[in-house]
């Protein structure tokens, strides 16, 4: 994949640039981060509203995924996230399952299915995921998982911060593309 200028690849900055990246558990911050999880499906729907087939098939940056691949990627990623939280809540320091997101983005379902399939999935998934996260206790946020790709032990609190960023990051890819292309 060819490299792009940082603003196109990371429109809201890298995950480590998020102001809350190193923040300890905080109830107020938790509610803010949960709002990102809760609103992601609606935000993505709004971001692609009135886009035609050609626009949906446009890469969000040179060498990047198309809007279609991006929407399906978010569904794939967040299905994995939901399972990672469930495993983290029910097993002691588990190693989470990694997957090849580039390979997944090239599979036929990503190319052939319309984005509304993944948007519908995201609405249901995020309703369940939000409720699971909302009801977690402070102690549960400190439970740990091992991420084999990052080669790090992370808390579930760390995972929430990452997926909050991920939600805003990919929505910004689409909204920035719309602005650059002057798609009103």
């Amino acid at each position: 994949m060819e490299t792009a200028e940082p603003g196109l690849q990371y429109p809201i900055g890298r995950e480590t640039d998020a102001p809350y990246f190193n923040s300890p558990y905080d109830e107020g911050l938790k509610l803010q981060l949960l709002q990102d999880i809760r609103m992601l499906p609606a935000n993505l729907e709004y971001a692609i509203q009135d886009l035609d087939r050609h626009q949906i098939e446009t890469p969000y940056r040179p060498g990047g995924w198309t809007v279609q691949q991006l929407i399906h990627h978010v569904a794939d990623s967040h299905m994995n996230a939901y399972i990672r939280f469930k495993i983290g809540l029910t097993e002691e320091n588990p190693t989470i399952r990694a997957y090849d997101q580039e390979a997944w983005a090239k599979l036929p379902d990503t190319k052939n299915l319309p984005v509304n399939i993944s948007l519908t999935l995201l609405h249901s998934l995020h309703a369940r995921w939000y409720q699971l996260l909302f009801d977690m206790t402070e102690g549960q946020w400190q439970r740990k998982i091992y991420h084999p790709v990052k080669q790090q032990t992370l808390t579930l609190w760390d995972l929430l911060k990452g997926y909050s960023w991920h939600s805003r990051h990919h929505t910004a890819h689409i909204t920035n593309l719309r602005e650059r292309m002057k798609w009103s």
Side-chain angles (χ1 to χ4, degrees):
M1 196 175 264
E2 106 188 35
T3 59
E5 65 181 81
L8 295 180
Q9 190 169 7
Y10 297 102
I12 64 169
R14 292 180 182 270
E15 181 182 355
T16 54
D17 296 332
Y20 51 77
F21 181 73
N22 289 314
S23 297
Y25 177 83
D26 172 85
E27 190 67 24
L29 179 57
K30 176 189 93 169
L31 295 175
Q32 178 186 338
L33 299 174
L34 287 181
Q35 198 62 3
D36 291 335
I37 301 300
R38 185 175 184 201
M39 295 305 300
L40 177 270
N43 290 342
L44 279 179
E45 264 191 303
Y46 181 73
I48 66 160
Q49 187 175 12
D50 298 325
L51 293 184
D52 62 29
R53 185 86 223 132
H54 170 74
Q55 292 165 327
I56 293 286
E57 292 172 355
T58 301
Y60 70 90
R61 66 175 173 86
W65 291 332
T66 65
V67 172
Q68 178 160 332
Q69 286 174 302
L70 192 63
I71 298 286
H72 290 308
H73 159 72
V74 172
D76 290 342
S77 174
H78 290 199
M79 283 188 287
N80 275 284
Y82 177 70
I83 297 300
R84 288 171 175 178
F85 273 91
K86 290 272 219 174
I87 289 170
L89 286 167
T90 60
E91 298 177 21
E92 290 304 316
N93 200 26
T95 297
I96 59 171
R97 176 81 167 79
Y99 68 101
D100 183 344
Q101 65 183 16
E102 293 294 330
W104 284 36
K106 294 174 184 170
L107 291 172
D109 63 323
T110 301
K111 180 179 181 185
N112 298 328
L113 287 175
V115 296
N116 69 319
I117 300 294
S118 281
L119 288 170
T120 300
L121 187 155
L122 283 165
H123 277 285
S124 297
L125 175 66
H126 276 244
R128 288 213 41 204
W129 190 20
Y130 173 83
Q131 192 64 54
L132 175 73
L133 300 174
F134 183 83
D135 291 331
M136 285 172 58
T137 65
E138 185 171 350
Q140 287 174 316
W141 287 109
Q142 301 314 312
R143 291 183 64 90
K144 295 180 170 136
I145 55 95
Y146 180 74
H147 196 299
V149 174
K150 293 182 180 184
Q151 297 184 333
Q152 286 182 303
T153 296
L154 302 169
T155 64
L156 295 182
W157 176 245
D158 294 326
L159 278 185
L160 174 63
K161 292 184 288 185
Y163 285 110
S164 165
W165 172 86
H166 190 258
S167 296
R168 292 179 297 102
H169 166 72
H170 284 311
T171 302
H173 280 142
I174 300 167
T175 57
N176 287 1
L177 174 64
R178 285 186 80 114
E179 289 171 16
R180 285 193 323 278
M181 301 298 283
K182 299 185 182 357
W183 297 336
S184 47

